């Protein structure tokens, strides 16, 4: 409520004064406190209703659904843990889980390291720096569908730019998206490129919070560029890195658009991911309950991974 | 059933309906992915109440309103449907008002499901081969068999495609009435045949003849070791693979759609034959991922001389000007000739308040008055008179041999359009067998994996 106060007009300034006044008796204060809540409520309701109806409600409804067999057409049937039992005994589930983790393992290191390097390069007073930053940020605001269509052309085995470049070095490029071994790396390359600008901006903000004094002091001590990056920038930017790491892992465990548009999960099962499997079971196969169960498995996975990261952060994240 | 919150199925159902409504709402906010499902897989189903006397609104001319739903690219836009179907229909039935709604493919099925769950489905709706069996099985669509027997003369229709849609099996009843259907055909590039000095394919060809020609039509013109022109395409989809398996005397599923038959010798040999086209003989390119026409040469690119494909491809080939092409009979297998057929059809909701009015509307689609405007390029009208009329036969410039699509009718067989078709056929079977075609796993292993997956899916169906 405190955060909302400055935004709320007429009655609240008065409330603020009163609630901080020592002279007001306790019972009266409580009364005014309740009154303040009641006054704030109408302003909060649109947000609260939206949150309840569109986020918290569905989250709990999905949990209940995951214990049912529901095809959307006939009434749902309570089957307890049936969906979860079914899920873990399907060979295809383990393939899909493996694919999702494989994507994450390939994507996250690149998505954490490359934007940092770009941010360090662009964190200096260059002529036209805003243009460079804008160019790197451009893919972020472009729709994945448009980007995927362009990358499809880049990946085209015979006439695509990528294989043309490889050919100049005497390398015969693979049929990227149609080859089981290359389809997933191809998706990762595109995703890293698309996400680079977003993480870069976060790093840039972090970099600008590091005081110049550290670098000056280090240079007097004779530290070269690498030393400054390794022993000043990296440790001091670690809270930002921590944030980038967490959102990168979450977004890669939920990867959907890339595989939906570029490969439809193929060839074979090579790029079928958890989110895609959830989508398919819910909207193509009409197994709403089963789909909700997969969604909850993914949810728990993400929760655990994030929790572990928070536990491990004290070992490597330095808050100034 | 257990637990305090969810003791009543009705409560649970209500919760689920609300949830679905939310999901529908939310999915509308996201970027809806473009649908790629071909319009060929439409089936309609209607049901006649065999013995129960329904109030016959049409007899006493009481005004009724029925709702018709269809998806984009099926029978036309709302305006087109008003003009080509509802206007002439109303000339005959002034008392029946038809409301029309047309949605994109993906949204369409979500909406149908929501409306059924809410108890307010459209009276008449476009049905897909992918869902027709499930809708009959779950009591969503009406059994139309007795209405059909009572009102329609079989000799007026091309009847084979009807069998594709029967429930529970090929000898069962109609819960969806075809209005048109798509065929498999042998598409061939006349320009490439002329260049090679080969005779065009004809109705006597077998798949082996096709393969022999494909070897002569595969060329590596730049000498880099990979062909730049292929003799044919090879795919594990239902139009090509299932047709070959059946033409060789094999089965994909058993007759009552309960068991996968792909591990039977004939099926394994047929899958091997298709795989060899790519891996051993290299007369066909490796397949491109779904939705990616650029990742591999296609018939439309002019670099593949022949293709066993669905007649729905004719529409997109209309724009091709770089080469000349035509179609001919689907080749014969070692056992018989089999032609794939996928009907587009209409169903009537079991919950419809006006089944008789709905049935009148369905019948209009099948009548001579419906014309060809709602048929679409590449689909054959189910009404014999229309299918054999010049109006339809000469409705396209290419292919010259458009008529072969009608001629193939006596050989039409469906692609086992049984329960959970999209899940077991379009997804599981396709993905498992594609791995054989990619060479990452043997044909025998892929067939076994496919059967394991398919049997599990079929076992989950409540029959």
């Amino acid at each position: 409520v405190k955060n909302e106060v400055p935004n709320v007009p007429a009655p609240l300034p008065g409330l603020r004064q009163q609630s901080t006044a020592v002279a007001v008796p306790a019972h009266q204060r409580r009364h005014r406190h309740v009154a303040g809540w009641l006054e704030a409520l109408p302003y909060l309701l649109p947000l609260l209703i939206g949150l309840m109806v569109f986020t918290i409600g569905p989250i709990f409804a999905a949990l209940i659904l995951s214990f049912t067999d529901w095809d959307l057409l006939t009434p749902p049937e309570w089957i307890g843990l049936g969906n979860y039992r079914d899920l873990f005994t399907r060979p295809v589930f383990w393939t899909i889980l493996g694919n999702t983790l494989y994507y994450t393992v390939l994507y996250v290191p690149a998505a954490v390291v490359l934007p940092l390097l770009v941010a360090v390069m662009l964190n200096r007073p260059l002529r036209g720096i805003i243009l460079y930053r804008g160019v790197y940020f451009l893919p972020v605001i472009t729709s994945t569908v448009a980007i995927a269509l362009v990358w499809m052309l880049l990946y085209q085995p015979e006439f695509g730019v990528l294989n043309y470049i490889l050919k100049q070095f005497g390398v015969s490029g693979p049929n990227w998206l149609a080859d089981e071994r290359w389809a997933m790396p191809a998706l990762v390359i595109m995703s890293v490129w698309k996400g680079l600008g977003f993480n870069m901006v976060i790093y840039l903000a972090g970099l600008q919070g590091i005081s110049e004094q550290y670098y000056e002091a280090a240079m007097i001590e004779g530290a070269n560029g690498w030393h400054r990056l390794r022993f000043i920038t990296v440790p001091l930017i670690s809270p930002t890195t921590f944030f980038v790491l967490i959102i990168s892992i979450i977004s890669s465990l939920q990867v959907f658009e890339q595989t939906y548009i570029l490969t439809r999960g193929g060839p074979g099962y090579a790029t079928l991911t958890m989110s895609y499997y959830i989508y398919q079971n819910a909207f193509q196969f009409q197994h709403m309950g089963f789909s909700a169960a997969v969604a909850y498995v993914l949810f728990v996975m993400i929760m655990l991974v994030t929790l572990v990261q928070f536990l491990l952060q004290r070992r490597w994240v330095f808050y100034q | 059933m257990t637990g305090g919150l969810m003791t009543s199925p009705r409560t649970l159902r209500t919760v689920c309906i609300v949830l679905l409504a939310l999901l529908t709402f939310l999915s509308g906010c996201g970027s809806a992915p473009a649908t790629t499902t071909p319009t060929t897989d439409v089936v309609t189903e209607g049901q006649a109440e065999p013995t129960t006397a329904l109030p016959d609104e049409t007899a006493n001319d009481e005004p009724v309103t029925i709702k018709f739903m269809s998806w984009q690219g099926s029978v036309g836009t709302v305006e087109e449907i008003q003009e080509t179907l509802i206007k002439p229909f109303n000339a005959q039935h002034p008392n029946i008002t038809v409301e029309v709604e047309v949605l994109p493919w993906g949204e369409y099925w979500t909406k149908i499901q929501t409306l059924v769950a809410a108890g307010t489905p459209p009276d008449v709706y476009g049905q897909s081969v992918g869902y027709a069996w499930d809708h009959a099985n779950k009591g969503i669509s009406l059994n139309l068999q007795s209405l059909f027997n009572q009102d329609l003369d079989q000799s007026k229709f091309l009847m084979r495609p009807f069998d594709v849609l029967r429930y529970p099996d090929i000898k069962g009843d109609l819960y969806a009435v075809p209005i048109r259907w798509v065929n498999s055909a042998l598409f061939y590039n006349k320009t490439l045949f002329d260049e090679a000095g080969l005779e065009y394919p004809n109705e006597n060809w077998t798949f082996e003849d096709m393969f022999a020609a494909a070897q002569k039509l595969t060329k590596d013109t730049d000498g880099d070791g990979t062909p730049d022109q292929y003799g044919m395409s090879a795919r594990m989809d239902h139009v090509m693979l299932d047709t070959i398996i059946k033409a060789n005397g094999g089965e994909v599923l058993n007759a009552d759609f309960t068991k996968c038959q792909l591990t039977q010798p004939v099926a394994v040999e047929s899958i091997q034959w298709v795989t060899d086209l790519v891996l051993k003989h290299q007369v066909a390119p490796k397949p491109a991922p779904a939705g990616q026409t650029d990742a591999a040469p296609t018939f439309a690119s002019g670099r593949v001389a022949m293709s066993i494909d669905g007649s729905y491809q004719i529409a997109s080939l209309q724009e091709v000007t770089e080469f000349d092409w035509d179609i001919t009979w689907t080749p014969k297998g070692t056992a018989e000739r089999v032609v794939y057929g996928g009907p587009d059809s209409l169903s009537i909701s079991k919950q419809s308040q006006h089944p008789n009015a709905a049935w009148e509307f369905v019948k209009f689609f099948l009548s001579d008055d419906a014309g060809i405007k709602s048929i679409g390029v590449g689909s054959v009208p189910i009404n014999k008179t229309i299918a054999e009329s010049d109006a339809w036969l000469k409705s396209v410039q290419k292919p010259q041999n458009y008529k072969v699509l009608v001629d193939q009718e006596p050989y039409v067989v469906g692609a086992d359009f049984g329960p959970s078709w999209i899940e077991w056929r379009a997804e599981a079977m396709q993905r498992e067998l594609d791995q054989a075609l990619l060479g990452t796993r043997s044909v025998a292993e892929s067939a076994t994996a496919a059967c394991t997956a398919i049997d599990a899916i079929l076992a989950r169906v409540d029959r």
Side-chain angles (χ1 to χ4, degrees):
Chain A
V1 177
K2 212 171 178 186
N3 291 334
E4 305 293 329
V5 169
N7 296 329
V8 182
L12 282 170
L15 172 76
R16 204 159 48 173
Q17 285 165 13
Q18 304 247 337
S19 60
T20 48
V22 191
V24 181
H27 70 273
Q28 214 172 329
R29 222 165 41 217
R30 204 175 306 120
H31 181 74
R32 290 223 172 90
H33 191 66
V34 172
W37 261 104
L38 284 177
E39 274 168 336
L41 202 57
Y43 301 99
L44 291 175
L45 264 183
L47 181 77
L48 286 179
I49 290 176
L51 193 69
M52 288 305 295
V53 171
F54 296 118
T55 306
I56 297 173
I59 286 173
F60 283 102
L63 180 63
I64 293 163
L65 266 187
S66 75
F67 299 112
T68 67
D69 180 14
W70 189 39
D71 60 8
L72 297 148
L73 296 170
T74 47
E77 190 189 332
W78 188 270
I79 55 166
L81 290 172
N83 285 326
Y84 292 93
R85 227 174 288 133
D86 183 10
L87 176 62
F88 292 116
T89 50
R90 282 192 201 189
V92 70
F93 170 74
W94 298 104
T95 307
I96 288 160
L97 181 65
N99 288 344
T100 310
L101 296 177
Y102 180 45
Y103 177 90
T104 306
V105 166
L106 290 183
Y107 174 80
V108 171
V112 171
V113 175
L114 290 181
L116 176 61
L117 299 181
V118 175
V120 170
M121 280 192 309
L122 294 183
N123 188 34
R124 61 180 77 175
L126 286 177
R127 189 195 290 264
I129 188 72
I130 293 179
L131 180 73
Y132 293 126
R133 289 177 186 169
V135 166
Y136 277 100
F137 197 70
L138 209 55
V140 178
I141 54 165
T142 312
S143 98
T144 308
V145 178
I147 284 177
L149 288 173
V150 173
W151 279 82
M152 258 188 216
L153 294 176
L154 295 180
Y155 283 136
Q156 206 282 337
E158 287 163 90
F159 316 111
V161 174
L162 208 59
N163 280 3
Y164 176 80
I165 295 169
L166 288 175
K167 212 172 178 179
Q168 304 313 304
F169 294 98
V171 179
S172 161
N175 189 352
W176 291 90
L177 297 167
D179 187 315
E180 286 208 320
R181 288 158 302 173
W182 287 102
M184 192 64 99
L187 292 187
V188 171
I189 292 169
M190 188 194 90
S191 307
V192 169
W193 178 81
K194 178 172 164 46
L196 189 73
F198 184 76
N199 289 352
M200 174 199 78
V201 165
I202 297 172
Y203 276 127
L204 272 174
L207 287 174
Q208 279 159 19
I210 300 176
S211 165
E212 268 305 309
Q213 292 172 1
Y214 295 112
Y215 294 107
E216 282 162 12
M219 275 157 86
I220 290 166
E221 300 287 335
N224 62 22
W226 164 249
H227 287 139
R228 275 172 278 150
L229 178 69
R230 170 67 188 83
F231 297 108
I232 299 174
T233 310
V234 170
L236 288 180
I237 208 169
S238 58
T240 311
T241 313
F242 179 61
F243 175 73
V244 169
L245 183 69
I246 285 190
I247 58 165
S248 297
I249 290 180
I250 291 176
S251 75
S252 58
L253 287 173
Q254 293 177 335
V255 61
F256 174 77
E257 281 169 305
Q258 291 88 330
T259 172
Y260 182 86
I261 296 156
L262 278 180
T263 60
R264 296 281 152 76
Y269 283 104
T271 57
L272 201 75
T273 56
M274 298 274 278
S275 292
Y276 192 79
Y277 195 54
I278 291 167
Y279 162 78
Q280 281 196 312
N281 275 287
F283 299 108
Q284 288 187 296
F285 309 155
Q286 284 82 46
H287 302 313
M288 271 290 168
F290 179 80
S291 178
V294 183
Y296 257 86
V297 171
L298 180 61
F299 172 73
V300 169
M301 251 170 62
I302 291 174
M303 278 277 279
L304 287 178
V305 171
T306 309
L307 196 71
V308 168
Q309 289 184 81
F310 269 96
L311 292 177
L312 291 179
Q313 65 158 324
R314 75 183 68 146
R315 300 193 176 199
W316 64 278
V317 180
F318 304 96
Y319 294 98
Q320 292 180 55
Chain B
M1 294 294 297
T2 169
L5 181 58
M6 282 299 130
T7 34
S8 138
R10 178 170 293 193
T11 315
L12 189 54
R13 185 184 181 177
T14 312
V15 169
C16 293
I17 289 169
V18 169
L19 179 67
L20 180 68
L22 290 177
L23 288 170
T24 313
F25 180 86
L26 291 175
S27 67
C29 302
S31 54
T35 166
T36 52
T37 312
T39 58
T40 63
D41 287 343
V42 184
V43 174
T44 320
E45 139 180 39
Q47 165 191 7
E49 290 290 277
T51 47
T52 327
L54 292 158
D56 191 349
E57 314 88 345
T58 54
N60 54 21
D61 286 350
E62 266 180 38
V64 294
T65 300
I66 58 169
K67 184 161 183 192
F68 170 57
M69 272 176 74
S70 165
W71 62 85
Q72 283 173 10
S74 178
V75 289
T77 63
V78 172
E79 293 73 25
E80 285 164 355
I81 293 168
Q82 295 279 9
E83 196 57 36
T84 62
L85 294 161
I86 296 175
K87 233 184 193 175
F89 173 71
N90 278 340
Q92 296 168 13
H93 299 278
N95 61 317
I96 303 174
T97 308
V98 185
E99 286 174 1
V100 191
E101 189 172 355
V102 177
L103 294 167
W105 169 268
E107 274 172 51
Y108 174 77
W109 291 105
T110 317
K111 178 115 190 217
I112 292 277
Q113 284 153 2
T114 316
L115 292 175
V116 168
T120 56
D123 299 275
V124 180
Y125 63 102
Q127 181 67 284
S128 157
V129 287
Y131 297 118
W133 195 97
D134 293 324
H135 282 201
N137 189 48
K138 286 166 184 164
I140 289 151
S141 51
L142 199 65
N143 185 339
L144 298 175
Q145 192 61 52
S146 59
L147 279 181
F148 185 85
N149 295 347
Q150 174 192 314
D151 285 6
L152 295 169
D153 176 5
Q154 293 212 0
S155 67
K156 286 212 64 188
F157 301 103
L158 296 158
M159 283 305 291
R160 284 285 288 214
F162 283 75
D163 297 337
V164 167
L165 292 174
R166 293 180 189 279
Y167 171 84
D169 56 35
I170 199 164
K171 294 192 180 71
D173 287 349
L174 282 175
Y175 286 72
V177 176
I179 53 172
R180 60 180 186 210
W181 89 97
V182 293
N183 272 203
S184 60
L186 170 50
F187 288 69
Y188 62 98
N189 184 321
K190 280 180 149 179
T191 309
L192 293 183
F193 269 82
D194 289 343
E195 276 172 20
L198 293 173
E199 257 183 62
Y200 296 146
N202 60 53
E203 64 173 284
N204 298 318
W205 272 31
T206 62
F207 285 108
E208 287 304 327
D209 292 326
M210 189 182 175
F211 167 60
Q215 286 186 305
K216 292 175 195 149
L217 287 158
T218 302
K219 286 177 183 153
D220 178 12
T221 48
D222 60 6
D224 67 351
T226 355
D228 349 85
Q229 176 186 315
Y230 289 94
M232 61 190 293
S233 65
R235 303 178 321 273
M236 291 295 179
D237 65 20
H238 61 286
V239 177
M240 181 165 184
L241 178 68
D242 297 15
T243 304
I244 294 173
I245 291 175
K246 287 167 189 179
N248 289 342
E251 284 182 308
V252 176
L253 297 189
N254 59 355
D256 56 2
F257 305 134
T258 51
K259 195 120 183 63
C260 169
Q261 301 291 315
L262 292 173
T263 48
Q264 301 293 316
V266 176
V268 173
E269 282 159 26
S270 304
I271 301 167
Q272 187 71 57
W273 189 85
V274 175
T275 306
D276 286 348
L277 294 174
V278 174
L279 298 179
K280 189 171 162 197
H281 308 299
Q282 297 180 357
V283 297
K286 279 202 175 190
Q292 277 203 60
T293 47
D294 280 332
T298 58
F299 183 78
S301 73
R303 295 169 58 220
V304 174
M306 293 178 285
S307 182
I308 303 294
D309 224 321
S311 54
Y312 46 82
Q313 296 287 6
I314 290 172
S316 56
L317 289 170
Q318 297 293 310
E319 291 152 27
V320 169
T321 52
E322 292 81 13
F323 60 90
D324 196 10
W325 60 278
D326 205 348
I327 59 172
T328 189
W329 286 78
T330 309
K332 290 182 246 184
T334 54
E336 57 182 324
R337 186 197 294 284
V338 167
V339 172
Y340 161 76
D344 294 352
S345 61
L346 300 173
S347 281
I348 296 178
S349 299
K350 207 169 185 177
Q351 298 177 67
S352 168
Q353 301 297 306
H354 308 291
N356 290 316
W359 174 242
E360 288 302 321
F361 189 55
V362 170
K363 274 198 295 185
F364 184 79
F365 276 86
L366 302 174
S367 71
D368 296 352
D369 302 324
I372 65 156
K373 282 194 182 132
S374 60
I375 297 299
V377 173
S379 293
V380 191
I382 206 79
N383 178 318
K384 211 184 258 181
T385 314
I386 299 177
E388 287 166 358
S389 70
D390 277 356
W392 182 76
L393 289 169
K394 303 211 167 124
S395 60
V396 290
Q397 296 224 301
K398 277 185 190 176
Q400 281 179 315
N401 197 6
Y402 207 26
K403 187 170 179 295
V404 74
L405 296 178
V406 187
D407 295 340
Q408 289 191 123
E409 183 264 341
Y411 304 95
V412 160
V413 169
D416 304 271
F417 294 120
S420 302
W421 189 83
I422 291 176
E423 188 178 4
W424 75 260
R425 182 60 188 88
E427 281 293 322
M429 179 171 158
Q430 182 79 37
R431 289 187 192 280
E432 297 292 355
L433 295 186
D434 269 353
Q435 296 179 48
L437 208 49
L438 290 161
T440 50
R441 194 169 63 186
S442 78
V443 165
E445 282 172 308
S446 301
T448 306
C451 274
T452 307
I454 293 169
D455 286 344
I457 293 164
L458 296 177
R460 284 196 285 271
V461 177
D462 285 327
R463 289 167 200 260

